[in-house]
């Protein structure tokens, strides 16, 4: 039972800290933006990714995540969205700026 708890703890730690190490970012929201930027450079310019990176940046992504998922910590949500984008590259579409009300 103790080994299961340790494995579960390490898996959760990898889920939370993995994006920052993989992308060399300071936070999970920075990693999400870096992933979108790297993805857009590999597949050609994606208007969604370029717009998110240039116009919004990690701080606004964090604010948008807070508004969309108010009951979850923004860093945890950014980590979840990062892994969602890794598994399903079209998952970045959920971050379209038109979906957000920043006022």
């Amino acid at each position: 039972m103790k080994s299961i708890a340790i494995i579960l703890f390490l898996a959760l730690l990898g889920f939370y800290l993995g994006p920052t190490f993989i992308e060399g970012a300071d936070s999970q929201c920075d990693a999400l933006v870096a992933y979108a930027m790297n993805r857009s450079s590999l597949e050609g310019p994606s208007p969604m990714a370029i717009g998110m990176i240039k116009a919004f940046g990690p701080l606004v992504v964090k604010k948008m995540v807070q508004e969309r998922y108010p009951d979850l910590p923004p860093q945890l949500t950014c980590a979840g969205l990062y892994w969602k984008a890794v598994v399903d590259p079209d998952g970045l579409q959920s971050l379209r700026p038109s979906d957000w009300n920043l006022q």
Side-chain angles (χ1 to χ4, degrees), residues 18-25 30-32 34-35 38 82 86:
T20 58
F21 289 115
I22 292 169
E23 300 297 333
D30 289 341
L32 180 60
Y35 179 79
N38 292 337
Y82 175 88
V86 168

Side-chain angles (χ1 to χ4, degrees), residues 28-30 32-33 52 57-82 94-95 99-102:
Q28 289 76 11
C29 292
D30 289 341
L32 180 60
V33 171
M52 185 175 80
L59 294 177
V60 176
V61 168
K62 183 177 177 181
K63 176 155 177 47
M64 291 186 303
V65 165
Q66 285 174 326
E67 287 184 8
R68 185 151 189 190
Y69 304 100
D71 296 332
L72 296 173
Q75 299 300 339
L76 182 62
T77 305
C78 284
L81 291 172
Y82 175 88
S94 67
L95 293 175
D99 292 346
W100 304 101
N101 179 12
L102 295 176

Side-chain angles (χ1 to χ4, degrees), residues 1 4 7-8 17 19 24 26 32 41 44 47 51-52 56 59 63-64 71 80 90-91 98 101:
M1 186 62 134
I4 292 174
I7 291 171
L8 181 61
L17 295 178
D26 293 331
L32 180 60
S41 67
M52 185 175 80
F56 297 105
L59 294 177
K63 176 155 177 47
M64 291 186 303
D71 296 332
D90 293 333
S98 62
N101 179 12

